[in-house]
Amino acid sequence: HRLVADWEQWVADARDFAHLSRGRVSVAAPNAQCAMLLPVVMRRFQESYPGVRVLLHDVPENEVHALVRSGAADLGIATQTDVRTDLIASDLYADEFVVVLRDDHALARKRRLEWEDLVPESVIGYLPGNPVRRLLEDHLATLGVHLRYTHEIALPWTMMGLAAEGIGVAIVTRTLQPLARWHHLVLRPIGRPPLSRMLTLFRPPGGSPSPAASAFRDVLLQVTGAIA
């Protein structure tokens, strides 16, 4: 009975979605993507599908998988890691690590930095356990480079504020370039070749996504394809 009811609801949702009369899609993503990427996707999606409501979960990155797995989110965006997952994943785009610092900092004179350049510096970085921080530390361990984190921060806006006051240099990813410019900070690439984290789109295992989720995914891929 439950399977029949679920099927009937899915068919009803598909019919309503096809006529743009109603529908809903729920998306979970870290705060940087919620601020810098998803507003553009949501605007384009709602221009094409005005009858479909988009629910946005602005959460710490390590909560994205749980929201998708529980069904609270139809789609999730997070950093690709080596940790095994039952979720269905597809790549979105590579997001390069960069250094953000004041234009009067000595390192700002260089067009490109090496990781060794940051060893003497006071580094502003993500909290331990953050997937982006973990990926960076695993890479630096292979190079024998150990950074001195003086401030470990959850939110990128705080990292930018500290860097703007000259309290340290912030290691972030290129997604945050608009925020760095707003703080009048300069951005420098690091390493040869540069290190990137892969942003990945997740959805629950089993079955196909709802029509609304499929349509949102298509718009998201169009936007991130332009970034790549």
Side-chain angles (χ1 to χ4, degrees), residues 79-220:
T79 302
Q80 183 186 75
T81 67
D82 293 332
V83 179
R84 293 176 63 87
T85 177
D86 57 328
L87 302 178
I88 298 172
S90 54
D91 291 345
L92 288 176
Y93 68 97
D95 191 17
E96 180 187 345
F97 281 94
V98 293
V99 174
V100 171
L101 64 168
R102 287 167 55 117
D103 60 2
D104 58 357
H105 193 287
L107 291 179
R109 302 190 192 102
K110 296 186 176 183
R111 301 301 301 171
R112 173 177 289 275
L113 302 177
E114 302 299 334
W115 290 107
E116 290 79 4
D117 294 330
L118 302 180
V119 172
E121 301 295 327
S122 297
V123 173
I124 304 163
Y126 291 101
L127 291 171
N130 178 287
V132 181
R133 167 87 176 260
R134 261 200 323 266
L135 176 65
L136 176 59
E137 289 187 333
D138 289 346
H139 174 73
L140 294 184
T142 66
L143 303 177
V145 173
H146 301 281
L147 301 180
R148 182 168 59 93
Y149 287 93
T150 55
H151 295 85
E152 298 171 317
I153 306 297
L155 296 176
W157 344 112
T158 307
M159 298 168 70
M160 295 294 180
L162 293 173
E165 293 301 322
I167 294 173
V169 299
I171 300 179
V172 296
T173 57
R174 196 172 284 275
T175 291
L176 295 171
Q177 184 169 351
L179 185 60
R181 288 175 176 167
W182 188 82
H183 278 281
H184 306 292
L185 295 166
V186 297
L187 180 150
R188 293 291 181 264
I190 328 169
R192 305 167 194 268
L195 172 66
S196 297
R197 56 95 174 253
M198 177 60 69
L199 277 168
T200 306
L201 180 67
F202 293 95
R203 67 176 179 87
S208 300
S210 70
S214 293
F216 191 91
R217 177 194 60 197
D218 291 345
V219 176
L220 175 63

Side-chain angles (χ1 to χ4, degrees), residues 24-42:
R24 190 189 78 168
V25 58
S26 177
V27 184
N31 44 60
Q33 280 64 50
C34 284
M36 305 293 176
L37 170 65
L38 288 178
V40 176
V41 179
M42 292 172 66

Side-chain angles (χ1 to χ4, degrees), residues 68-79:
V68 176
R69 188 173 290 110
S70 69
D74 302 301
L75 301 170
I77 298 173
T79 302

